[in-house]
Amino acid sequence: MTEKRNPDGTPPGDDSLNTSPESDAPMSDQQAMELSKQLRKLEPKLDHWLKVNRGSIWDGPAKLLAQFAKLVLPVTYVLGLLLFSVLVTDPTKLPWMDKEETEEHTAYVDLKGAILTGNEADADRLIPAMEKALEAEGSEALVVRINSPGGSPVQSDRMYQAIQEFREEYGKPIYSVIEDIGASGAYYVAAGTDGIYANRSSMIGSIGVISSSFGFTELMDKLGVERRTFTAGDNKDMLDPFHKVSPAIEDHWNNILASTHETFIERVKEGRGDVLAENEPDLFSGLIWDAQSALDLGLIDGMGSLRSIASELVGAEELVDYTPPKPFKGFSGGLGISAEGIEQAMVGSFSRIQESLFTPSLSATP
């Protein structure tokens, strides 16, 4: 049996597929409508495919940038942490902040604040800084810039003696310049330098020793509070503010202060030589003087600033700061509010209060 076929050779019923340009038979309206319907169904899928797969000239660079960020950001984060740790510990270790200058310059170190262990004006911090400044090949002189009311006689004497040794060892002049105040222990340090200069409004002197505390014995009696102290040694609690001070203890403590004062006076005379005014009864009485009075008494050598000393006395106007950075205690200690942190802060504060109350101080303030 012979199968019937269309004139173009296709099986009967396949007219819908007869869309070839070679076909002479026109597409019927029904076939056109069916094709249009199928195309409309495909249109959303085609649009979605185009949106997903549509390319852009920025696609390549964007992908490269994303890959670069994935590799570089962790490295940058680590390097940033290292840089931060250097900045808060010792900025001088940074390559662009190297203080080992070889060009001619005037070195300076700041002595600022109370002279106490752990403070900025701690001998353990400033003495190495002074030595580093003098060791530098290009430093022509060292200037100690002072803005301090004084503090510990031990710390002050250590810096005084170090300056004396450095003057002899390095053969470079060491000057001091006083800004707002250079009193008591701070003046003690200045007395060891080759020359002392100040601003006309600076406060200078206070060559004396102080020890102050409080007594609460009568208040304790009124409140009915009993103080219980256990000691091994009869005079171990001699400066306890809750006990009365006996005449013998008072004499003993005054002798200690007098001895410290004598050492202070000897250092000033040793450092200042014959420039001190003679027969001035108040010179070592603990008085503070203005700059002009201090000049008249021989306590300073003239008026000046850090820059004027560098340009006029040293002859090297370039200034390089050798002051060590402030001690970094970390975020946990500074911001922590744990019970342990509060306890440590309270104990530390009490220890500092005890130190200030019961230790002789070369300070212009109680």
Side-chain angles (χ1 to χ4, degrees):
M1 180 178 180
T2 304
E3 182 181 1
K4 292 183 178 181
R5 290 184 173 273
N6 292 323
D8 60 354
T10 59
D14 277 353
D15 293 342
S16 61
L17 299 178
N18 189 11
T19 59
S20 171
E22 295 80 10
S23 175
D24 295 332
M27 183 180 294
S28 66
D29 292 341
Q30 184 176 358
Q31 290 174 331
M33 290 177 61
E34 184 66 24
L35 180 61
S36 176
K37 185 185 297 184
Q38 292 177 3
L39 290 174
R40 283 197 299 270
K41 289 180 180 179
L42 290 173
E43 185 176 357
K45 297 181 179 179
L46 181 62
D47 288 342
H48 176 72
W49 185 88
L50 289 173
K51 288 180 181 180
V52 172
N53 296 280
R54 182 169 51 193
S56 168
I57 60 172
W58 301 108
D59 286 351
K63 290 179 179 179
L64 288 175
L65 183 61
Q67 293 296 326
F68 179 77
K70 287 181 180 179
L71 294 173
V72 171
L73 285 180
V75 177
T76 305
Y77 179 75
V78 173
L79 291 176
L81 287 178
L82 292 175
L83 178 62
F84 178 76
S85 65
V86 171
L87 284 173
V88 298
T89 52
D90 188 357
T92 63
K93 293 179 181 177
L94 295 174
W96 59 86
M97 296 184 69
D98 186 10
K99 292 182 179 177
E100 291 295 339
E101 297 276 351
T102 56
E103 296 182 2
E104 184 179 278
H105 65 273
T106 298
Y108 71 93
V109 171
D110 283 328
L111 193 163
K112 182 169 62 175
I115 302 173
L116 294 172
T117 301
N119 279 18
E120 288 185 59
D122 183 347
D124 286 331
R125 298 180 65 247
L126 296 188
I127 290 175
M130 294 178 192
E131 186 168 20
K132 183 178 180 180
L134 293 167
E135 285 177 343
E137 183 179 342
S139 67
E140 297 296 315
L142 169 64
V143 180
V144 182
R145 185 167 61 175
I146 296 173
N147 192 2
S148 168
S152 163
V154 174
Q155 298 286 315
S156 302
D157 190 67
R158 285 181 58 199
M159 285 188 274
Y160 176 96
Q161 293 190 64
I163 289 172
Q164 297 294 300
E165 293 171 2
F166 292 156
R167 288 170 64 186
E168 182 177 349
E169 180 178 355
Y170 295 100
K172 297 180 181 181
I174 303 176
Y175 302 104
S176 54
V177 58
I178 295 172
E179 296 199 329
D180 295 307
I181 184 170
S184 210
Y187 184 79
Y188 193 133
V189 177
T193 62
D194 292 290
I196 306 175
Y197 298 85
N199 184 277
R200 292 187 179 277
S201 300
S202 300
M203 306 302 291
I204 302 151
S206 186
I207 303 173
V209 185
I210 186 172
S211 174
S212 60
S213 62
F214 299 92
F216 305 104
T217 54
E218 293 185 9
L219 177 63
M220 298 275 285
D221 293 339
K222 289 180 180 180
L223 294 176
V225 178
E226 179 185 3
R227 168 72 166 174
R228 295 175 180 175
T229 306
F230 304 95
T231 64
D234 294 339
N235 298 311
K236 185 61 179 178
D237 60 346
M238 66 179 187
L239 296 179
D240 192 323
F242 301 100
H243 289 172
K244 290 183 178 181
V245 179
S246 67
I249 293 300
E250 184 175 351
D251 290 341
H252 176 76
W253 194 241
N254 283 332
N255 289 335
I256 292 176
L257 299 182
S259 175
T260 305
H261 190 204
E262 283 299 321
T263 302
F264 191 178
I265 295 171
E266 288 175 10
R267 294 301 195 196
V268 173
K269 288 182 176 179
E270 178 185 272
R272 297 301 296 163
D274 298 331
V275 299
L276 291 174
E278 297 181 2
N279 303 320
E280 177 55 56
D282 293 329
L283 185 60
F284 304 120
S285 67
L287 285 177
I288 295 180
W289 314 87
D290 61 83
Q292 185 57 55
S293 298
L295 181 61
D296 295 338
L297 293 169
L299 293 175
I300 65 174
D301 297 289
M303 307 300 173
S305 64
L306 177 60
R307 291 197 174 276
S308 67
I309 292 173
S311 61
E312 297 172 15
L313 292 179
V314 182
E317 295 186 6
E318 182 71 24
L319 295 171
V320 177
D321 184 5
Y322 287 82
T323 308
K326 295 181 180 179
F328 179 66
K329 298 180 179 178
F331 294 110
S332 59
L335 302 179
I337 53 175
S338 63
E340 182 180 358
I342 294 174
E343 179 185 359
Q344 291 178 353
M346 292 176 66
V347 171
S349 299
F350 182 71
S351 298
R352 286 191 292 273
I353 292 172
Q354 281 188 315
E355 180 181 0
S356 63
L357 291 179
F358 306 140
T359 304
S361 176
L362 306 180
S363 176
T365 56

